[in-house]
Amino acid sequence: RWRVSPGDYEAVRYEIEGDHSTASYFLAAAAILGGRVRVERLDPASAQPDARLAGLLARIGSRVVCDGAAIEVTGGEELSGFDIDLVDAPDLAPTVAVLAMFANGPSVLRGLAHLRFKESDRLELLAAGLGALGRDVSVMTDRLEIGAGDSPLHGGRIVTRSDHRMVMAFAIAGLRVGGVELEDPGCVTKSHPGFWTQFAALSRRQNW
């Protein structure tokens, strides 16, 4: 139950902090490609659950610098496999699954049962997308187990069911794997209308 007492409104200036979910694709791109990406107006100490990505990237092989209101990621030579529970950060799962696709060891993403009830059944679509690009993956009730990358990756068609986060995550995979075809790429406008403009900058140069 909520009880709101009557009162007066007063105009104030309020700054909305940057969105860690949207920033995750660009930070992950640096880790995957070995380039450098800096995202401004992004609070490293944010209470947003997806702010934990910076710590994961540092743990698996990237150089991460946090300086007040920005996060900068520089990719290393390779990414190590990892085990992570995302029960409190479901929007981060597509980004992290794509990271795991390029890791040099097996990875496990846990706490994902609720992904079946997002804009799409993201648990099944993530598994299908990883498999379409050549990565071994097993779907459990609440987790994905992603193989170590013993076989080469290749292009393929990614079924997205018009889910913006599926499109943005696998777009980043396409920066390194040729021949990735995304279903309904325009659906990203529901959360990030400028995504493809910024994505084009990533594909033109290492530093963005």
Side-chain angles (χ1 to χ4, degrees):
R1 173 183 302 178
W2 291 90
R3 182 184 299 275
V4 181
S5 301
D8 296 326
Y9 289 98
E10 180 181 350
V12 297
R13 185 176 183 85
Y14 187 81
E15 183 174 351
I16 306 297
E17 65 175 284
D19 179 36
H20 281 266
S21 302
T22 301
S24 71
Y25 311 108
F26 302 99
L27 298 177
I32 291 170
L33 295 173
R36 177 174 62 87
V37 167
R38 177 182 175 87
V39 181
E40 303 282 353
R41 300 179 65 183
L42 199 63
D43 182 5
S46 172
Q48 297 177 49
D50 291 359
R52 63 192 295 193
L53 178 65
L56 173 65
L57 293 176
R59 178 160 61 91
I60 65 176
S62 296
R63 179 175 178 268
V64 179
V65 176
C66 302
D67 54 359
I71 297 177
E72 181 176 294
V73 173
T74 304
E77 293 184 1
E78 61 182 13
L79 299 174
S80 59
F82 53 88
D83 190 322
I84 187 171
D85 191 328
L86 295 171
V87 68
D88 62 342
D91 287 345
L92 199 57
T95 307
V96 172
V98 168
L99 279 171
M101 186 169 64
F102 297 101
N104 64 2
S107 298
V108 180
L109 281 60
R110 304 179 186 274
L112 303 183
H114 49 347
L115 288 189
R116 296 189 182 277
F117 309 103
K118 305 296 276 185
E119 287 90 330
S120 65
D121 182 342
R122 287 181 181 165
L123 195 57
E124 290 295 339
L125 286 186
L126 283 172
L130 295 173
L133 301 185
R135 181 60 66 243
D136 292 332
V137 57
S138 297
V139 184
M140 308 300 179
T141 302
D142 66 344
R143 69 184 186 274
L144 289 175
E145 296 182 356
I146 300 169
D150 298 325
S151 57
L153 296 170
H154 53 73
R157 179 175 176 80
I158 306 299
V159 176
T160 67
R161 298 286 187 262
S162 298
D163 188 326
H164 57 143
R165 299 209 181 278
M166 296 295 300
V167 170
M168 290 188 281
F170 280 100
I172 299 305
L175 289 170
R176 182 162 162 182
V177 179
V180 175
E181 181 182 351
L182 300 170
E183 177 186 82
D184 192 11
C187 72
V188 299
T189 57
K190 68 179 67 175
S191 62
H192 188 12
F195 175 79
W196 291 115
T197 299
Q198 294 177 337
F199 178 85
L202 286 178
S203 63
R204 286 197 299 269
R205 59 182 186 268
Q206 283 189 310
N207 297 332
W208 174 77

